[in-house]
Amino acid sequence: KVSTPNHPSGVGPSKAQLPNSPYAQPEGAVVHAWRPGHWYTNIFEVHSNVSSGVVVRNWEFYPGSNQISGKCATPMQCNPGVLPLGAFDSLLKCQVALNATHPSRCASYTYHHPDLGGDFASHCYCSTEYVWAPRGQDKVDSGRAPGTFNAASALMFSRGGHQGGEGVTG
């Protein structure tokens, strides 16, 4: 009995796995994979790089959404990638402050209206990450800048599958 190995057609590595990605021209690169604890290797040649994500061409406005939900412990202490811009008495003033950041590093913004109440009321935030995952929330509005959000990249293989190791035949 002979088993047929199932070879992948490509891989979608995370930024942690390939910290220098995305690559401008990955074509022709060789991906060498092995399995620890069991002798098995595969070698594949990269044919192309496929990118995906949502392309935003103009500023978009999302009323009733909170892009920074859970990312700030206090109104002025936020996770990396979230910049507090200050407290403003209107959405328009928050947007003016957002536009005044030079050079603009803001991929999106969030404004907490004054009638929200509590510590975060009237506060405006800039998010520098092109990840879009707002949560619905009354009296909070968010918007996103032109760019590619939730981008992912995959290296597609053209040939290869040179395999060595156990498990090729059964």
Side-chain angles (χ1 to χ4, degrees):
K1 178 179 172 186
V2 175
S3 65
T4 305
N6 293 320
H7 296 294
S9 60
V11 293
S14 70
K15 191 73 170 168
Q17 293 168 320
L18 290 177
N20 297 317
S21 64
Y23 300 101
Q25 295 179 316
E27 296 81 5
V30 174
V31 175
H32 181 204
W34 67 95
R35 181 175 177 219
H38 184 80
W39 192 75
Y40 173 90
T41 60
N42 268 310
I43 301 169
F44 299 94
E45 183 178 333
V46 174
H47 171 65
S48 63
N49 185 32
V50 177
S51 297
S52 64
V54 176
V55 177
V56 175
R57 302 212 184 281
N58 300 298
W59 276 96
E60 296 178 346
F61 179 67
Y62 293 86
S65 65
N66 187 342
Q67 173 65 5
I68 62 138
S69 179
K71 297 180 182 178
C72 297
T74 70
M76 299 304 287
Q77 292 179 321
C78 300
N79 294 353
V82 178
L83 308 174
L85 297 178
F88 303 96
D89 61 8
S90 72
L91 172 63
L92 181 61
K93 288 180 182 176
C94 169
Q95 291 169 331
V96 168
L98 174 76
N99 290 328
T101 59
H102 291 290
S104 180
R105 296 182 3 220
C106 300
S108 63
Y109 70 93
T110 298
Y111 178 68
H112 297 86
H113 290 273
D115 58 346
L116 175 68
D119 294 340
F120 287 87
S122 301
H123 282 271
C124 179
Y125 300 89
C126 159
S127 176
T128 60
E129 299 172 350
Y130 280 84
V131 175
W132 185 249
R135 292 186 180 155
Q137 185 176 353
D138 288 338
K139 301 177 184 175
V140 179
D141 296 329
S142 295
R144 61 181 174 177
T148 303
F149 286 82
N150 305 333
S153 182
L155 301 174
M156 302 308 294
F157 301 142
S158 59
R159 58 184 167 145
H162 301 289
Q163 180 182 11
E166 302 173 60
V168 177
T169 59

